[in-house]
Amino acid sequence: MPCAYEMKEALGDGHKVTVVNEREYFQFTPSNPWVAVGWRTRESITFNVKGYLAKKNIDFIAKRVDKVDAAGNELTLEGGETLSYDYLVIATGPKLFFEEVEGAGPHGGHTHSICTVDHAELAYGDYQKLLEKGSGHIIVGAMPFASCFGPAYEFAFIVDADLRKRKLRHKFKMTYVSSEPYIGHLGLGGVGDSKSMLESELRNHHIDWIVNAKTTK
């Protein structure tokens, strides 16, 4: 959306700008971890896109793009509809690849995700069941092929904070599991003193860790 806004401002009304997205809504992804523990709801972190784009005279199509014909300057949308263009900006975001690890993922697997608001809502449903149970072992982390590790640390500390607010933290064991070679690597070789800082914070919050781990199943 920021790209569409800036392009429309730069080009003016003499040019047509169209946003194509498979969903009708925009979600503020950084708030997904809060949804997974009940601190936020879907309604508080999403909004319908069309109205906001229309205010800037930007068209919107809520359909998935199935094919890009670069030579013909044409998109094939869900259902077979085609859309021609003069200039194409691709801002796809990540493609989730749960099938790389057997048993992973919230749909047909045995793990949860906070990558989308739908996933976060599913996670919250099972989190509530765990709270009702009253005790257990919570594992948070990142599997092989992950490239963004910050949210995993963030979510571990969010769960820790939520359990403390509920006065239940002492009843749950927590472990952070990651494919990083060491705590604080973050997929970047570390950032400043991130190794010792995050190790210290994990210890202070009684969160165990396993790193350099290749989860296979």
Side-chain angles (χ1 to χ4, degrees):
M1 289 182 69
C3 177
Y5 287 153
E6 291 183 19
M7 289 186 69
K8 188 63 176 180
E9 183 178 2
L11 296 172
D13 290 333
H15 296 268
K16 183 177 181 179
V17 176
T18 302
V19 172
V20 181
N21 187 56
E22 66 176 332
R23 301 180 184 88
E24 294 182 347
Y25 61 86
F26 171 88
Q27 67 174 53
F28 186 64
T29 301
S31 288
N32 287 343
W34 295 355
V35 173
V37 295
W39 292 1
R40 292 290 188 278
T41 63
R42 170 188 289 268
E43 291 73 24
S44 64
I45 70 164
T46 63
F47 60 83
N48 287 331
V49 171
K50 187 173 183 178
Y52 289 93
L53 293 177
K55 291 179 181 179
K56 302 289 186 179
N57 294 320
I58 298 172
D59 292 344
F60 177 65
I61 299 174
K63 288 189 176 183
R64 184 184 67 246
V65 176
D66 289 332
K67 180 182 178 181
V68 177
D69 178 2
N73 284 32
E74 186 176 79
L75 304 178
T76 300
L77 308 181
E78 179 182 3
E81 179 184 350
T82 59
L83 180 67
S84 60
Y85 64 86
D86 296 301
Y87 188 81
L88 177 67
V89 176
I90 300 176
T92 59
K95 181 183 186 303
L96 304 179
F97 211 33
F98 296 117
E99 54 267 35
E100 277 294 321
V101 178
E102 183 182 349
H107 300 292
H110 309 288
T111 66
H112 281 290
S113 159
I114 53 170
C115 294
T116 71
V117 67
D118 292 334
H119 290 172
E121 285 184 324
L122 289 173
Y124 181 50
D126 275 356
Y127 181 61
Q128 288 177 297
K129 294 176 184 177
L130 186 62
L131 293 175
E132 290 174 4
K133 180 182 175 183
S135 64
H137 185 187
I138 299 173
I139 298 175
V140 178
M143 291 190 181
F145 307 106
S147 59
C148 184
F149 295 90
Y153 287 101
E154 178 189 6
F155 188 56
F157 289 122
I158 284 174
V159 172
D160 172 84
D162 187 68
L163 291 173
R164 291 179 189 278
K165 287 181 179 180
R166 299 174 187 271
K167 302 187 185 304
L168 293 172
R169 180 63 181 90
H170 62 290
K171 294 186 177 182
F172 290 87
K173 175 180 174 63
M174 288 189 65
T175 304
Y176 175 82
V177 178
S178 175
S179 57
E180 297 162 274
Y182 55 82
I183 288 295
H185 182 277
L186 299 169
L188 302 169
V191 179
D193 196 26
S194 58
K195 182 178 186 295
S196 60
M197 181 182 71
L198 282 169
E199 283 183 350
S200 177
E201 287 300 314
L202 289 171
R203 288 193 193 96
N204 290 340
H205 290 81
H206 304 288
I207 300 173
D208 298 330
W209 66 79
I210 300 172
V211 291
N212 204 27
K214 182 179 180 180
T215 304
T216 58
K217 184 176 180 180

